[in-house]
């Protein structure tokens, strides 16, 4: 006889199959120990029931709910949460925000572009020395003005191709503008101007033209052969000037190079005394303003959980490059089962406002939060929005944006979301970060979001992390509520001040599994009489079944229901419908 469970709350139901799972641990990967958890397969689940299950240590993966058997599993996993209004960002978390803001403002490049020079192109020795020595003084970050100038040159190249000056099938590398060392500016100065930046893009263009003509693919080989770096640089300069002049820069060509000079007037005596220009950084800022560095736009979209091909492609890139997964393991089916499928029944805000329940404008349920920069999808956060919390489930991001710490940034955004939506739903005040595993270094970052709380696996009380940490430093599994309340609080979700209990009580509790106690029920842990059951469409309590069951079936059912009641708690076992088939 198979079994399923469903919830009758609000006339809606859930279907689940209860069982225990033993598997290889994905954290410690130990060959001698295993991850042990309880499981519930669900078809439908109300947000209220899932909130209650979260507060008993459960978590979902798609439509499968699991709860570590804390006293037996190899890596005990504690539910961790944070009250959003109490959050105090660390210096590193503040730096994450500033870094992304600098990126959006055009002040920070993700990956500076490297100039690719064709080995067949001969560059004059003075210029080669100039650019070679310049690399020693350059910062790792490309100045915004250099990026903008490169884009101007690239646009000029494209206009030359469109006008027929260059063949459409030519393969030309991206241009690169390099900064000229201040020590070299005096030697290369022209009158009252000093050289700040230079580009040698004309040389690889000529090399590409020669390569095209040798293959016989050019439309006018004779004309292309006559092109020299000097001619190409002049053509590009002409196209750049068609767009407009830059007041803070003078653009000239010399021996095939496109050079950018400061338009600031400097006397020869000032130059001789070394008082020529402000620093290159100051000039860059001025030039950047004149060129109007284009700022990037970050958009965050919240959408109901559903399959999106663009999200799936991003997920594949993330799993392959960040987690080194095998390609065959990243199927569309496994992705949907993990991050798209959800049993949560959505709750929408009341249109007439008569509903007594407070609901945020988006409602309750499962969502994907998309992060886009100038329309490009760079990250997706998979979250559940519940009556008391936003529960973060998973985040995947574009590996090209790894330097922006999008995992940390998305967590900060989700905390802000909770704060903002408390105006619509006062009970929604927590941010759940999933499981905290003290024995796994990769999971300890979650405790950096302070002040956080861990869920006691025995009594399901919330314990401040600072109180729990000394216990976890001694052993991976600990009954955190062995520190009893100094003062009772009527709100079970509130942070509690705890004091240490007697050693005799600790020994007694530690000898019991966390699933062998149901101290919050107020009745005997084996009292299964009022478990709600559905049989052939009819709903009844377990005690009503006793009259129609023989002794063999009764013993089988009794063992199953005792286990079920222990892992979900007395209240949920009497509210959720356990369907027998």
């Amino acid at each position: 006889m198979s079994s399923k469970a469903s919830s009758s709350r609000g006339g809606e139901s859930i279907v689940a199959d209860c069982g225990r799972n033993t598997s290889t641990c994905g954290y410690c990967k130990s060959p001698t120990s295993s991850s042990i958890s309880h499981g519930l397969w669900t078809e439908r689940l109300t947000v209220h029931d899932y909130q209650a299950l979260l507060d008993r240590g459960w978590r979902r993966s798609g439509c499968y709910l699991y709860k570590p058997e804390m006293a037996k599993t190899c890596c005990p996993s504690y539910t961790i949460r944070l009250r959003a209004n109490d959050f105090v960002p660390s210096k590193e978390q503040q730096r994450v925000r500033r870094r992304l803001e600098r990126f959006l403002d055009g002040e920070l490049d993700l990956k500076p572009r490297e100039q690719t020079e064709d080995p067949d192109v001969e560059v004059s020795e003075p210029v080669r020395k100039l650019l070679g020595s310049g690399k020693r003084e350059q910062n790792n970050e490309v100045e915004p003005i250099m990026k903008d100038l490169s884009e101007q040159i690239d646009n000029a190249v494209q206009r030359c191709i469109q006008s027929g000056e260059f063949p459409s099938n030519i393969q030309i590398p991206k241009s690169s503008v390099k900064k000229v060392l201040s020590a070299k500016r005096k030697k290369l100065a022209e009158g009252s101007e000093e050289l700040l930046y230079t580009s040698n893009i004309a040389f690889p263009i000529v090399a590409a033209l020669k390569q095209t003509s040798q293959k016989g693919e050019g439309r006018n080989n004779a004309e292309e052969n006559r092109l020299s770096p000097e001619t190409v640089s002049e053509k590009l300069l002409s196209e750049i000037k068609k767009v407009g002049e830059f007041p803070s820069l003078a653009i000239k060509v010399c021996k095939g190079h496109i050079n950018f000079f400061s338009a600031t007037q400097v006397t020869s005596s000032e130059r001789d005394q070394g008082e020529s220009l402000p620093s290159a950084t100051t000039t860059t800022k001025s030039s950047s303003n004149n060129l109007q560095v284009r700022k990037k736009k970050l958009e965050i979209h919240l959408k109901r959980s559903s399959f999106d091909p663009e999200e799936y492609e991003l997920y594949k890139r993330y799993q392959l490059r960040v987690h080194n997964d095998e390609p065959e393991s990243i199927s569309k089916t496994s992705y949907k089962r993990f991050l798209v499928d959800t049993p949560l029944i959505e709750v929408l805000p009341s249109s007439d406002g008569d509903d007594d329940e407070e609901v945020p404008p988006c409602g309750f349920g499962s969502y994907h939060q998309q992060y886009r920069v100038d329309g490009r999808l760079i990250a997706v956060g998979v979250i559940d929005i519940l009556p008391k919390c936003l529960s973060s489930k998973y985040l995947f991001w574009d590996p090209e944006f790894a330097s922006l710490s999008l995992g940390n940034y998305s967590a900060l955004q989700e905390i802000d979301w909770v704060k903002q939506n408390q105006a619509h739903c006062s009970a929604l005040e927590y941010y759940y970060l999933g499981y905290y595993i003290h024995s796994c270094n990769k999971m300890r970052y979650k405790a950096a979001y302070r002040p956080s709380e861990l869920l006691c696996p025995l009594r399901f009380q919330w314990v401040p992390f600072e109180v729990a940490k000394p216990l976890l430093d001694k052993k991976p599994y600990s009954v955190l509520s062995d520190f009893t309340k100094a003062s009772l609080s009527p709100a079970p979700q509130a942070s509690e001040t705890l004091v240490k209990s007697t050693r005799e009580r600790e020994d007694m509790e530690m000898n019991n599994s966390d699933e062998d106690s149901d101290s919050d029920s107020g009745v005997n842990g084996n009292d299964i009489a009022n478990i709600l059951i559905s049989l052939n469409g009819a709903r009844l309590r377990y005690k009503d079944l006793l009259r129609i069951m023989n002794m063999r079936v009764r013993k089988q059912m009794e063992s199953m229901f005792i286990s079920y009641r222990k892992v979900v708690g007395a209240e949920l076992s009497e509210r959720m419908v356990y369907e027998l088939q």
Side-chain angles (χ1 to χ4, degrees), residues 110-111 313-323 376-379 396-406:
L110 296 177
K111 291 183 179 180
E313 291 302 319
L314 177 61
Y315 172 76
K316 288 195 295 184
R317 293 201 304 274
Y318 172 78
Q319 295 297 131
L320 288 170
R321 293 180 55 181
V322 177
H323 292 290
R376 175 178 175 178
L377 184 66
I378 65 167
F396 52 95
W397 37 267
D398 192 327
E400 292 184 19
F401 292 77
S403 61
L404 294 181
S405 303
L406 292 174

Side-chain angles (χ1 to χ4, degrees), residues 290-302:
N290 283 286
L291 282 174
Q292 295 183 342
V293 175
R294 187 177 66 85
K295 293 187 177 182
K296 302 175 182 65
K297 183 179 181 181
L298 172 66
E299 295 177 293
I300 303 177
H301 303 286
L302 188 66

Side-chain angles (χ1 to χ4, degrees), residues 141-325:
E141 295 180 4
V142 173
E143 294 179 9
I145 183 66
M146 296 162 65
K147 180 179 178 182
D148 289 328
L149 294 175
S150 296
E151 290 178 355
Q152 294 288 342
I153 296 174
D154 288 337
N155 292 337
V157 171
Q158 291 303 314
R159 288 194 295 272
C160 286
I161 293 175
Q162 292 169 5
S163 66
E165 294 283 357
F166 302 153
S168 59
N169 59 350
I170 188 173
Q171 299 294 320
I172 301 176
K174 293 289 185 180
S175 65
S176 176
V177 172
K178 297 187 177 182
K179 183 168 61 177
V180 178
L181 287 176
S182 57
K184 298 292 183 180
R185 291 177 187 160
K186 180 180 176 182
K187 296 180 180 179
L188 298 174
E190 293 188 5
S192 60
E193 300 170 337
E194 286 197 86
L195 178 61
L196 298 179
Y197 308 101
T198 186
S199 174
N200 65 350
I201 185 63
F203 292 90
I205 290 177
V206 170
L209 290 170
K210 289 181 179 179
Q211 186 177 15
T212 301
S213 65
Q214 288 171 0
K215 292 180 179 180
E217 297 175 355
R219 291 174 299 176
N220 192 336
N221 293 338
E223 182 179 350
E224 286 165 10
N225 281 329
R226 287 197 299 271
L227 291 178
S228 64
E230 290 79 4
T231 307
V232 170
S233 60
E234 290 285 356
K235 289 181 181 291
L236 294 177
L237 176 60
S238 175
E239 290 296 332
I240 293 173
K241 287 186 174 181
K242 286 179 182 179
V243 177
E245 296 286 348
F246 310 123
S248 61
L249 290 176
I251 310 175
K252 302 179 182 180
V253 295
C254 179
K255 298 180 180 179
H257 293 80
I258 302 175
N259 296 327
F260 301 87
F261 293 84
S262 168
T264 304
Q265 298 299 310
V266 183
T267 65
S268 58
S269 59
E270 287 176 332
R271 184 181 296 115
D272 292 339
Q273 295 171 11
E275 299 174 356
S276 54
L277 276 175
S279 66
T281 303
T282 304
T283 303
T284 296
K285 289 182 179 178
S286 173
S287 302
S288 177
N289 291 333
N290 283 286
L291 282 174
Q292 295 183 342
V293 175
R294 187 177 66 85
K295 293 187 177 182
K296 302 175 182 65
K297 183 179 181 181
L298 172 66
E299 295 177 293
I300 303 177
H301 303 286
L302 188 66
K303 59 186 284 287
R304 289 281 176 180
S305 181
S306 61
F307 179 77
D308 184 322
E310 185 182 15
E311 291 182 358
Y312 174 54
E313 291 302 319
L314 177 61
Y315 172 76
K316 288 195 295 184
R317 293 201 304 274
Y318 172 78
Q319 295 297 131
L320 288 170
R321 293 180 55 181
V322 177
H323 292 290
N324 298 314
D325 284 2

Side-chain angles (χ1 to χ4, degrees), residues 6 8 518 521-534 539-547 549 557-558 561-562 564-566 568-579:
S6 57
S8 60
D518 202 5
S521 67
V523 295
N524 187 295
N526 293 339
D527 186 358
I528 59 175
N530 290 317
I531 288 181
L532 187 59
I533 299 168
S534 176
R539 293 189 181 183
L540 60 164
R541 302 290 175 178
Y542 175 69
K543 59 187 176 184
D544 301 324
L545 281 180
L546 298 180
R547 298 189 302 270
M549 288 192 299
M557 290 290 100
E558 185 174 295
F561 285 131
I562 288 174
Y564 169 69
R565 186 181 186 277
K566 286 177 179 177
V568 302
E571 181 180 351
L572 283 174
S573 72
E574 296 175 11
R575 186 167 78 215
M576 296 193 302
V577 178
Y578 196 105
E579 188 171 77

Side-chain angles (χ1 to χ4, degrees), residues 40-87:
L40 291 172
W41 277 109
T42 64
E43 184 178 313
R44 301 184 67 195
L45 185 65
T46 69
V47 292
H48 295 277
D49 288 343
Y50 185 47
Q51 178 72 67
L53 287 168
L54 276 183
D55 291 335
R56 290 187 63 89
W58 289 84
R59 191 157 176 78
R60 76 174 185 90
S61 174
C63 293
Y64 179 74
L65 273 64
Y66 57 99
K67 178 182 185 294
E69 193 168 331
M70 298 286 280
K72 299 177 182 178
T73 192
C74 56
C75 296
S77 307
Y78 298 83
T79 302
I80 182 170
R81 75 176 186 181
L82 164 79
R83 183 183 274 114
N85 282 339
D86 293 342
F87 172 60

Side-chain angles (χ1 to χ4, degrees), residues 24-35 73-75 437 439-440:
T24 302
C25 180
Y27 297 106
C28 68
K29 305 187 189 309
S30 172
T32 59
S33 56
S34 300
S35 173
T73 192
C74 56
C75 296
I437 304 176
S439 57
C440 178

